[in-house]
Structure formats: structure tokens, C-alpha cells
Amino acid sequence: MFLAPDESGLRDAAKLLRDGEIVAVPTETVYGLAANALDAAAVRKIFEAKGRPFIDPLIVHVCDMAMAERLAEPSPQLERLALRFWPGPLTVVLRKRAVVPDLVTAGEPTVALRMPAHPVMRRLIALAGVPLAAPSANPFGYVSPTTAAHVRDSLGARAPHILDGGPCAHGLESTIVNLADPAGVRLLRPGPVSPAELEAALGVPVLPAPSHMDQKAAQAAPGMLDRHYSPNTPLILRTAGTMAQVPPGYPGRVAVVHQARPADPRPKGVEHFWFSESGAPEEVARSLFALLRHLDSQNFAAIFAEAAPEGGLGDAINDRLKRAAAKR
Ligand code: TXA
Ligand code: MG
């Protein structure tokens, strides 16, 4: 079931994709569940494997600008962002061309494009010779996978082929920015590339992601649904710097997760964890989903997690933690 990231494994994966099969693939953000983006029957298998509603559009991954230009209408703003951030953890939403199946874009007139930086993924797209539609390789609504084992553990037989490219460097999904209206560039999902970096590259303001999306807006960008990235164990989010306090007498075994290794003495009666030794946001992002998955397998009554300090990557970390904590 695991394919090695060598030339023979890559050729096998590329053939599977050209034959209309789905393959779980490594990227520098999270693992994706990929299919040939131009083959609607293949793309349908992604939705089935994830239990993903058809109203939730997919990101299409390309290996060069020529491939991007075949999928979307020309955009000077894309050219600026691509020069600065591609290949890398940035997805842009553009007006689509007719070649992109409606299933990929949930019937929207736009398509989300990303040129990933992971060398295994880039080589795979080049070998397959087609753009790859790939959402994160988790059951819909669950925590995203950052290792090949995460994909196997949560999708099992629904992901029969997994290309193992090692743990993901960023550990958080790409930033998504909507360029479909050049006069109103809007952040759709915070991620490793910050709005300030986008504004610096574009020279125009980037409108913030709507904090609460109504049902209609949520359908246009369902990755923004309030509940998403959620462990099965209830997660309670605590303000940064508050030692993730647990109410006295809280029933059952409780996990308390800190951003950094907490100073002694630590509150007793709960089990302590930390996303990173130092609390550096890059390290927290890298281990966030892996630790949530691990804790979710340990039968805790609840997980109390400390939020990251605001700003930059901290905003993307808190976005995922808030969604993980949203009421089901
Ligand atoms: O880092 C990533 O972006 C990972 C890796 C695999 O590339 N992919 C990922 O895909 O996070 P996914 O499906 O979990 O999130 C895709 C989200 C959708 O839920 C939606 O919010 C947004 O991208 N999206 C896709 N197409 C769109 C479109 N045409 N308009 C607006 N939003 C779109
Ligand atoms: Mg996802």
C-alpha cells in the first residue's frame, strides 16, 4: 500500500493516476488525496473516499506555469504571487477555463491552483503529465494528515495507494487567496503565507477572511466551515498564556496542551503535553495535527489546548484550533 518516493514508486503512482485511480501524496503542507483533475470520474473517487460533500471544491496542483495557464484565465496578480511564493504553500483562486470539470470546482466559475514545493509531488505531477486535484487526505471534517501513517490510519482501504514522502515540513494547509476579482483580493484561509506578505507582493490590500461565514458563503469556501479539522475528543480552546486552565472538578482524564514546554510547577491532576519545546510557531504548526491525532487515540475525556500568540503563523494555528474546538 505504501509506494516509495523513488523513481519506480513515482512511475507506479503516475500510472495509477493516468489510469483514473486515486493516490495519497505528500506535499510540504499536508498529505493530499490526488486524482487527475481533468478526469471527472477519477475526481469523483476522491469525494467518495473522503465522504466529502460535492459542494466543497478541490485544489488543483500544477508543476509549472504552463499547466496553470491551461486551467485558469490570465492574471497579472497570479504572476506576481507565483514569482514570490511558488512553488510553495499558497493557493490562488482564479476564473477557470472550460477544461476544468465542474465537479472539481463545485460548479463555481473559479478554480483553486497551487504549485507545491515538495520534490516528490512536483516530480509526480510532471511524470503524470496532468494537473492533480487533491484535498487533504483525511475523512471529511477530521484532522488533516501530516505523515503517510496518518493517511493509512484514518482512510484505511479507502486510500489503497499512499506515496510516502516523509513528514510534512509546514504541517498546516496552504494559505488560500481569492484573485477572481482583482479589485477585491480576499484571504479565504490563513496559512503559512501571511496576509502582510501577500499585500507586500501585490501592492494592494488583502481583505480578511470573513470570521463567521453564513451558509451561502460557506458553500463557496467550505474549508471555512466552522467545524473542520476536528478530533473526536472534545477540544476546548484556552487563551494564549493561561496555562490552558481546566475548571476544578472537570470529570475524567484530561489532556492539557501548551504551545511550549510549561514551566514548573505544573497544575496536577491533568496530563501535560506541548506542541513544541520552544513554542516557535513553525514548530507548533509542524506538530499540531500529529499531536491532536495522537491525543484523540488516547481516550481522554477532553483536550484543553492553549491558543498561539496572535499574528503571522499564529493566526493560521488559531484558525485550525478554533475549528477543531467548534461545537458539533
Ligand atoms: O495545503 C493544502 O492546500 C492541501 C494540500 C493537499 O495541497 N490541500 C487542502 O485541500 O487543504 P482541502 O480540500 O482540504 O481544502 C480546499 C479548500 C476548500 O475546502 C475550499 O475552501 C477552497 O479550498 N477552495 C477550493 N476551490 C475553491 C474555489 N474555486 N473557490 C473558493 N475556495 C475554493
Ligand atoms: Mg481539508
Side-chain angles (χ1 to χ4, degrees), residues 58-82:
L58 306 180
I59 295 173
V60 178
H61 299 72
V62 299
C63 61
D64 54 35
M65 287 306 283
M67 201 177 253
E69 283 157 13
R70 284 197 291 275
L71 303 171
E73 305 215 330
S75 158
Q77 290 179 327
L78 167 64
E79 283 172 32
R80 288 191 170 204
L81 292 184

Side-chain angles (χ1 to χ4, degrees), residues 51-214:
R52 183 180 177 107
F54 289 110
I55 56 163
D56 193 353
L58 306 180
I59 295 173
V60 178
H61 299 72
V62 299
C63 61
D64 54 35
M65 287 306 283
M67 201 177 253
E69 283 157 13
R70 284 197 291 275
L71 303 171
E73 305 215 330
S75 158
Q77 290 179 327
L78 167 64
E79 283 172 32
R80 288 191 170 204
L81 292 184
L83 270 178
R84 175 77 181 75
F85 301 108
W86 275 7
L90 177 69
T91 297
V92 296
V93 172
L94 297 164
R95 298 194 67 79
K96 82 174 190 83
R97 294 191 193 272
V99 64
V100 182
D102 283 339
L103 196 59
V104 170
T105 66
E108 293 291 317
T110 53
V111 61
L113 297 184
R114 181 160 99 83
M115 189 190 293
H118 197 298
V120 172
M121 179 63 166
R122 300 201 71 194
R123 178 85 183 121
L124 178 65
I125 304 170
L127 280 175
V130 290
L132 298 181
S136 50
N138 48 282
F140 182 69
Y142 194 62
V143 181
S144 298
T146 55
T147 66
H150 290 163
V151 179
R152 179 202 53 204
D153 293 348
S154 54
L155 285 176
R158 289 179 287 163
H161 313 288
I162 304 172
L163 189 57
D164 187 352
C168 302
H170 289 291
L172 275 191
E173 298 84 352
S174 60
T175 302
I176 307 181
V177 64
N178 190 349
L179 300 180
D181 171 10
V185 175
R186 186 181 287 280
L187 188 73
L188 293 180
R189 179 172 71 187
V193 177
S194 72
E197 289 177 291
L198 294 173
E199 289 183 342
L202 287 171
V204 298
V206 173
L207 305 170
S211 59
H212 179 79
M213 313 253 321
D214 61 31

